[in-house]
Amino acid sequence: MIYLFTSITCSVIVGVLLKLAKRYEISITQAVTWNYLFAIFLSLFFFKPDVSSFNIAQISPVYIVLGFLLPGIFIILGLSVKTAGLARTDIAQRLSLIISLSAAYFLFNEKFDSFKEIGLVFGFIAIFLILYRKSEHTAHIKSWLYLLLVFGGFGIIDILFKMVSQITDIPYTTSLFYIYSLAFVLSLIYTLYLASRKREKLQLINFICGCILGFFNFGNILFYLKAHKAMADNPSTVFAAMNFGVIIAGTLVGIIIFKEKLSKINYLGLIAALIAILLITLSKIYAV
């Protein structure tokens, strides 16, 4: 579980950095681009992937899809927050767990025991209770489109990283290097487009923030993959614990650091999430 804990910590820090970026008017697009460049350097430094024997046949279609989705989901998140609001966007992101768990059952042929089934029920209840907000926001077709893209995008990314962990002909650290490289090239093309067509200035502060973001994003994905490899027979445990853990940790950070106010319903959601994680953890120990 140490891999999951580390991945959750890095994920929450990434969220905090993105929230601070909006506050201090940091360009998300530029920061995301340099984030992948920094992740490439981290991969080269720590893992020393053998790229001398690179063969185009090694590039799995999974890498290509992730190369598009990883930078793309950041842009979609920003558009969704702008049109649908932060709370609804967060709900859509966390509800993508439905896609992940469906894949664990139908695609990866995992059998669910009673502890896990009850834990997942508590988990979904927790998502709605924690993210519940009274809002007068009026629904709009465009906002629902972005919410749907967030929901589907994060669910597909979870599944694809599980598939990357199952690739055996090359090390998963080399797989990460390929994915980061492709994501960087694609996001760089988009950044240069904005600079030339939209007159968006390239600034040093965005590069610095991107490097910091890249460090934690690198850790998030690396340890998420390690968790899937360590619990290869229990993908639903990784999917669920990751999502519920991020919700609990992110909510606590919001209360302590950003002084966000929670209702009694939100606190009930935190309790439900803790019960969910406890039951899912017990499912690894006992079979009912």
Side-chain angles (χ1 to χ4, degrees):
M1 296 296 284
I2 186 64
Y3 294 143
L4 270 175
F5 176 79
T6 307
S7 182
I8 289 169
T9 301
C10 290
S11 179
V12 171
I13 293 175
V14 166
V16 170
L17 291 174
L18 288 175
K19 188 165 186 174
L20 291 175
K22 182 180 178 182
R23 175 182 296 181
Y24 294 104
E25 299 183 349
I26 302 298
S27 170
I28 298 296
T29 303
Q30 291 184 35
V32 167
T33 299
W34 307 129
N35 137 80
Y36 289 119
L37 178 63
F38 193 67
I40 290 171
F41 286 129
L42 287 175
S43 297
L44 288 171
F45 180 78
F46 285 106
F47 305 135
K48 298 177 174 57
D50 182 15
V51 295
S52 60
S53 58
F54 172 76
N55 189 329
I56 192 67
Q58 290 182 313
I59 302 300
S60 166
V62 175
Y63 300 163
I64 298 173
V65 178
L66 279 171
F68 277 95
L69 280 180
L70 288 177
I73 201 68
F74 278 106
I75 297 171
I76 292 171
L77 271 175
L79 293 171
S80 183
V81 169
K82 183 178 179 180
T83 59
L86 181 60
R88 295 173 72 207
T89 300
D90 204 7
I91 291 173
Q93 180 180 346
R94 296 309 161 198
L95 285 180
S96 67
L97 177 62
I98 296 172
I99 298 176
S100 307
L101 293 177
S102 298
Y105 189 83
F106 294 106
L107 186 61
F108 302 116
N109 301 316
E110 181 183 353
K111 303 301 180 184
F112 289 9
D113 60 28
S114 298
F115 277 126
K116 188 167 292 183
E117 290 171 352
I118 298 172
L120 293 177
V121 171
F122 271 97
F124 285 121
I125 292 173
I127 290 174
F128 286 105
L129 293 180
I130 291 175
L131 299 176
Y132 173 80
R133 298 286 189 278
K134 290 183 178 180
S135 174
E136 301 298 327
H137 187 80
T138 303
H140 189 276
I141 293 177
K142 188 175 289 187
S143 69
W144 279 106
L145 173 62
Y146 291 137
L147 288 170
L148 182 61
L149 290 173
V150 167
F151 170 77
F154 275 96
I156 293 171
I157 286 172
D158 272 353
I159 295 170
L160 291 176
F161 271 121
K162 170 60 180 177
M163 295 173 70
V164 169
S165 73
Q166 293 180 323
I167 295 175
T168 57
D169 53 340
I170 59 175
Y172 70 90
T173 50
T174 303
S175 296
L176 276 182
F177 174 79
Y178 291 153
I179 294 168
Y180 289 142
S181 298
L182 185 55
F184 170 67
V185 170
L186 294 173
S187 55
L188 179 62
I189 291 172
Y190 183 65
T191 297
L192 294 176
Y193 165 79
L194 292 178
S196 62
R197 296 289 186 177
K198 305 293 185 180
R199 304 297 181 184
E200 184 176 298
K201 293 182 179 179
L202 299 175
Q203 297 177 309
L204 179 61
I205 185 63
N206 296 324
F207 175 78
I208 296 173
C209 291
C211 291
I212 298 172
L213 180 66
F215 178 81
F216 291 103
N217 198 26
F218 175 83
N220 173 30
I221 295 175
L222 171 65
F223 288 103
Y224 184 64
L225 275 176
K226 281 180 173 288
H228 268 303
K229 290 187 75 68
M231 292 182 278
D233 296 329
N234 290 277
S236 66
T237 298
V238 180
F239 291 142
M242 182 69 187
N243 278 273
F244 300 151
V246 168
I247 288 174
I248 293 175
T251 302
L252 292 177
V253 168
I255 296 171
I256 298 170
I257 297 180
F258 296 105
K259 309 301 180 184
E260 294 179 357
K261 303 296 183 181
L262 293 185
S263 66
K264 292 180 180 179
I265 292 177
N266 299 148
Y267 281 111
L268 285 175
L270 278 177
I271 295 172
L274 287 171
I275 294 173
I277 290 179
L278 175 62
L279 289 170
I280 291 170
T281 302
L282 287 175
S283 75
K284 285 179 58 60
I285 303 174
Y286 302 102
V288 177

